[in-house]
Amino acid sequence: MSRIAPKPGTYPAPQPDARGEIVSHTLRRITDTPLDRAIVEARDALIARQDRHGYWLFELEADCSIPAEYIMMMHFLDEIDAALETKIGRYLRSAQAGHGGWPLYHGGDFNLSCSVKAYYALKLAGDSPDAAHMARARAAILKHGGAARVNVFTRIALALFAQIPWRGVPYIPVEIMLLPRWFPFHLDKVAYWSRTVMVPLFILCTRKPVAKNPRDVQIRELFTTPPEEERNYFRRKGLLTKLFLAADRLGRLIDPLIPARMRERATHLAENWMLERLNGEDGLGAIFPAMVNALEAMVVLGYAAADPRRVTAKQALQKLLVVGPSSAYCQPCVSPIWDSALAVLAMQEIGDATSSDASARALDWLQTRQLLDEPGDWRMDRPALAGGGWAFQFANSYYPDLDDTAVVAWAMHQAREPGRYAESVRRALDWLVGMQSEDGGFAAFDADNTCYYLNMIPFADHGALLDPPTSDVTARVVTVLARIGRPQDKKALDRAIVYLREQQEPDGSWFGRWGTNYIYGTWSVMTAFAQARIGADDPAVRRAVDWLKLQQNSDGGWGESNDTYAMPAQKTASTAYQSAWALLALLGAGSARSDSARRGAEFLLRARQADGLWRDSSFTAPGFPRVFYLRYHGYSAYFPLWALAAYRTLTRRGIAH
């Protein structure tokens, strides 16, 4: 019989007495320890970051391709903010790595596509190709095959600036909008991010506009073969890829034969699809690539500069900027729902009156953001399912996601006044269960988005066209379903647990799709198993704990690089947020009193900064593994606080094994 692991968040943290001294649940007075002081100071620092409306919002940083594309957008439109361009240029130069190019994440290897965009953006901004940093970048780019070898999205950007011929990009005509749902390719068969990026691209790639490029900046020096002479833009192999490339060539041949009326109808469909989802000042899909494509598509379609829709689309992009005194960058999106819900869980684990007040303010704000009856693309496959989810951003009504929804519902259920949010939680759980995929798992935005053959099409060289179920999202849903324990959810819960067991790696860990990487995945599943009362004696839990202990560094912390998405896992320097994940995983597995947990907590205490919180320059999560990575600045704020508070709760209660 397995021992039952305690449920994180179930046990309130020690409370201060009338004299402000902390008293345990056994009424034994506890001295003001370093752990207590650290929790209070970090709590106060985190609350100081809370917006007056109740939410938390931290910066969300991506690689340099996003700020580089912002400069390129300004030159595409000939709407150049010189002061902003100067600041973004400083940011790009500061991020150039020792290998001469630009990586996808801090400390990462050279990435060709990111480097070509950064080089072009700097040259557009006025940097001389003879400058030392540009010469280093150019040498690195040529060493890696030159600009003809960049990914599809970068080649489309270069084609828009007439740096490569249009035959260098996949044939993606706007008539794709006319394809029936039974066709091998359809918008409903790809992930939300793919849809929102692709529809405006259909317009751009059909119209084939040329950027204004007012300074007529070229980058021919980045090609090993003149781009107009290059005959090998597509290098992927395999039978299915060859078939798609044959279809690509056929499409180009018949393109001149497409009736003008058909093209006009397809363009109108694409335009309306885009406008319906324009999402005000939060932008199409609330993600930068879709937003910039939408703005440029509007320009190509003839929207005047003063048209309110075009103005709003540009304002949405401007709201993504993080502008400092000397440098600036553009975020890929913003994360207020995610940041707020996770910060609430940290506050709830502390459990004192100050934390409860802060979490209540956040939950009240979150309640106003629930998506109930709004239209959404997820309804294409679940038309009878009532809404109840939350998006990741301030507004993204067509695209709620399961991860945010599960975390918000979890936080609401364990609120000081849970009845206040009972209806919101009910709607959330109904929606989550309704979005379960056939294999028992849960994906981020859709159900059964698993047409894997589509990752072979020429457009999808990034391999991230789809949104299949993942262990981490499934674990989050299991956590909230098991915690609340509605009888009607038992079948879905059981199927999801079977899915998680099947996904465990041979070494005992779980893959982390939305956080780096196996530490994140293992924390997610261990938390879910704890809520599902899968105890410390369960073989899957034992293997996970053994793996976590093997990964612990000599300093007591844990660290894992984004390199693990491309090569076997190996330990790296400890980070506060990954150490917090590992510590929370051990706590969920009933190992709060283990030496590993103690050393992990001690590492977090030592790693704090002067302001009471934690800092780390590493990138914390993949947007798309191997392709696009993110640095959630908030992860080093709320996760270590949450872990320390949970560690204090469990060790002082004397309930951990």
Side-chain angles (χ1 to χ4, degrees), residues 351-479:
D352 60 16
T354 301
S355 303
S356 294
D357 289 344
S359 63
R361 292 194 299 273
L363 290 173
D364 286 347
W365 178 82
L366 285 165
Q367 190 174 38
T368 68
R369 299 286 159 162
Q370 190 171 23
L371 299 168
L372 300 174
D373 300 318
E374 294 84 353
D377 283 2
W378 59 270
R379 295 182 186 274
M380 296 295 180
D381 290 316
R382 298 291 191 272
L385 180 62
W390 276 267
F392 182 74
Q393 305 88 349
F394 283 110
N396 195 10
S397 62
Y398 271 81
Y399 305 108
D401 73 272
L402 283 73
D403 218 356
D404 280 89
T405 301
V407 175
V408 174
W410 173 8
M412 285 182 167
H413 178 258
Q414 65 181 30
R416 179 173 56 190
E417 301 177 61
R420 183 184 184 95
Y421 312 107
E423 179 62 11
S424 294
V425 172
R426 182 193 69 78
R427 291 289 297 265
L429 265 60
D430 288 348
W431 184 72
L432 288 169
V433 170
M435 294 295 289
Q436 189 168 31
S437 291
E438 288 184 2
D439 62 5
F442 293 86
F445 296 91
D446 287 295
D448 298 310
N449 193 248
T450 53
C451 295
Y452 293 108
Y453 63 86
L454 291 177
N455 279 330
M456 296 294 105
I457 66 176
F459 179 83
D461 63 354
H462 58 307
L465 207 64
L466 306 174
D467 178 24
T470 62
S471 296
D472 42 10
V473 177
T474 302
R476 219 86 62 226
V477 178
V478 166
T479 296

Side-chain angles (χ1 to χ4, degrees), residues 539-554:
V541 175
R542 288 203 307 268
R543 290 167 57 212
V545 169
D546 289 344
W547 179 83
L548 284 165
K549 290 180 178 179
L550 285 173
Q551 300 307 307
Q552 191 168 24
N553 288 324
S554 60

Side-chain angles (χ1 to χ4, degrees), residues 500-501 503-511 518-530 534-552 558 581-591 594 596:
L500 289 176
R501 290 188 181 280
Q503 294 298 310
Q504 190 172 24
E505 300 288 333
D507 63 8
S509 65
W510 276 268
F511 178 78
Y518 296 99
I519 297 175
Y520 181 86
T522 304
W523 157 65
S524 301
V525 177
M526 285 296 92
T527 300
F529 279 8
I534 298 172
D537 289 342
D538 186 273
V541 175
R542 288 203 307 268
R543 290 167 57 212
V545 169
D546 289 344
W547 179 83
L548 284 165
K549 290 180 178 179
L550 285 173
Q551 300 307 307
Q552 191 168 24
W558 285 261
W581 294 337
L583 179 54
L584 285 166
L586 290 173
L587 300 181
S591 298
S594 67
S596 289

